[in-house]
Amino acid sequence: MARPVPAIRSVYVCQQCGTSSPKWAGQCPSCEAWNTLVETVVARATTGKTAERARGRATAAAAAAISPIGEVSSAEAGRLPSGIGEVDRVLGGGLVPGSIVLFGGDPGIGKSTLLLQLAGRIAAAGHGALYITGEESTAQVRGRAERVGAVVEGLGLVATTDLDTAIGAIESSAPALAVVDSVQTLTSAELSGPAGSVGQVREVASRLAEVAKAGQSCVALVGHVTKEGTVAGPRTLEHLVDAVIYLEGERLGSTRLVRAAKNRYGSTEEVGVLEMRTDGLVEVADASRFFLESEQPPVAGSAITIAIEGSRPLAVEIQALVAPSGVGSPRRATTGIDVNRVLMLIAVLARHAGLNLTGHDVYVNVAGGLRIEEPAADLAVATALASSLRERPVRAGTVLAGELSLSGRVRAASRADRRMSEALRLGFERLVTGPHRSAGATPARRGGGGGMVLEATDLREALQLALVEPATI
Ligand code: TYD
Ligand code: MG
């Protein structure tokens, strides 16, 4: 008797390392982790259908429409502003119809809040929106919607954990934005794996991606990041989606940063700044000023830099604390900046400015929960450290931006004019930086649109320019 042809073909994928095996086993043959194999669909078609598909492919290839590039409309054309400018900035100008975007972040950070707000704004602007919730009841979502002002006409709610039901809802209502909260709670009936397993999560995302591509809906998937920093599954989803947007921030603080880890429709450099209030996430009026901890007179151990995040300059306060360490090796701890970069700056301070921190614990913090990657922050970090050690504050009205080399030289930060004009706007008057690439003798004192740009060739000189008298370090 012929065995029935299986409706689907599946393999077992290890959730740890991604290796696939044809059969289930208790232990992954590759990475040897236990109980990590999860059934995953590889082909949905039956044998008969496969042949049919192959024939279809032949005709499709013959009929493939080739369009002159000049006649193809770009994704830019149909962009839909989300109604939250800081989110649009990160998306690259708004939601793109027919795209699928993954919103990741720690549990409780505000993903559901943000997406409900986006859905509410899209609906209020007259475009349909659909919110599919697999985690909460419609009553819970309604409660949140009342807080964030998303009880609007044109926003539909569906509570389901079934992928086919979710897809049916999207296809029948064809909303401009369909939110799926979350990718970990939906399951495909075709797979035996539990919700949230790699197999299910991938299947959910790829089916929803097909739905998005086939229509004009933008599908926003919510994904939780696990403690280990991987979105349970969604890291493995990055290639399936058009953009990956992370919502970050300290859970107890109110600042939330929106960043793109991948974006087929825009830059991944932009950062959006939001604040969690009792009525949801709100845009920060003056993001640049937001990261300045205080407008008090400068204190020892604090230095301000103008960082450029994406296309936007942001004034950021770097705080350093240098304290004599007890027995054992001294501590070096940082938040918001790479500890290895700080270790390098400690070495440069010792070697080129005569500031030895060997016997000191060192703590460096970037105020406001921002994470600084650009080397132009070097000068501010080194100055904050020197300032704390010497107990001399940075001169009032001074900001710093420049990269330090291992030889103690200062390189001017890129886009110094942008930084200076932002500094001026925020009420600072002096920018300490490295020599302008085309300038000759230093220290040059150039007027930068009203402010003073002080060019230091090396760290010692920069510290003299930045710290209050006596500057004999
Ligand atoms: P939520 O959007 O549920 O997070 P996620 O979906 O990422 O898990 O947000 C949860 C937190 O946000 C919760 O601790 C309460 C807080 N919150 C506010 O502070 N203000 C608000 O208006 C809302 C809706 C939530
Ligand atoms: Mg949620």
Side-chain angles (χ1 to χ4, degrees), residues 256-277:
R256 297 288 181 272
L257 300 176
V258 189
R259 281 180 193 278
K262 159 179 176 174
N263 193 352
R264 284 191 182 139
Y265 306 112
S267 139
T268 51
E269 309 254 284
E270 299 293 340
V271 49
V273 187
L274 299 168
E275 202 179 347
M276 182 61 97
R277 302 247 185 96

Side-chain angles (χ1 to χ4, degrees), residues 406-443:
L406 291 177
S407 60
R409 305 225 143 240
V410 185
R411 287 188 62 196
S414 60
R415 292 179 276 182
D417 292 345
R418 263 316 278 293
R419 296 182 207 251
M420 186 68 220
S421 53
E422 184 64 11
L424 282 173
R425 192 181 73 79
L426 296 173
F428 296 97
E429 292 142 13
R430 311 158 81 238
L431 170 69
V432 178
T433 182
H436 192 258
R437 269 155 221 157
S438 58
T442 50

Side-chain angles (χ1 to χ4, degrees), residues 29 175 180 219 244 364 399 458:
V180 176
V219 174
V244 181
V364 176
V399 293
D458 59 25

Side-chain angles (χ1 to χ4, degrees), residues 70-274:
E71 287 170 23
V72 177
S73 62
S74 86
E76 295 306 313
R79 272 197 199 266
L80 195 60
S82 68
I84 301 183
E86 292 291 305
V87 174
D88 286 341
R89 161 189 286 280
V90 177
L91 287 170
L95 300 165
V96 176
S99 70
I100 179 159
V101 183
L102 173 67
F103 284 84
D106 289 317
I109 202 76
K111 299 179 296 298
S112 301
T113 307
L114 178 65
L115 286 154
L116 185 60
Q117 285 181 268
L118 290 183
R121 306 263 174 118
I122 294 281
H127 311 281
L130 182 64
Y131 192 97
I132 299 166
T133 169
E135 301 206 331
E136 293 158 309
S137 64
T138 46
Q140 282 171 307
V141 176
R142 159 81 202 219
R144 181 180 296 126
E146 281 169 12
R147 289 174 72 176
V148 305
V151 183
V152 289
E153 215 178 300
L155 172 56
L157 287 187
V158 177
T160 183
T161 54
D162 177 57
L163 176 62
D164 289 313
T165 311
I167 290 176
I170 298 173
E171 285 176 343
S172 64
S173 63
L177 172 65
V179 176
V180 176
D181 188 1
S182 65
V183 67
Q184 278 107 345
T185 50
L186 290 200
T187 49
S188 161
E190 290 178 0
L191 288 179
S192 59
S197 63
V198 171
Q200 287 284 7
V201 160
R202 273 202 206 151
E203 175 70 1
V204 168
S206 70
R207 295 271 310 277
L208 287 168
E210 279 171 27
V211 172
K213 299 264 135 61
Q216 283 297 296
S217 298
C218 171
V219 174
L221 281 181
V222 173
H224 295 295
V225 179
T226 59
K227 278 206 196 76
E228 297 77 48
T230 51
V231 197
R235 269 286 154 82
T236 68
L237 297 183
E238 288 191 358
H239 66 282
L240 287 175
V241 297
D242 296 311
V244 181
I245 309 289
Y246 280 104
L247 191 59
E248 308 171 346
E250 303 292 319
R251 257 200 78 175
L252 298 177
S254 62
T255 313
R256 297 288 181 272
L257 300 176
V258 189
R259 281 180 193 278
K262 159 179 176 174
N263 193 352
R264 284 191 182 139
Y265 306 112
S267 139
T268 51
E269 309 254 284
E270 299 293 340
V271 49
V273 187
L274 299 168

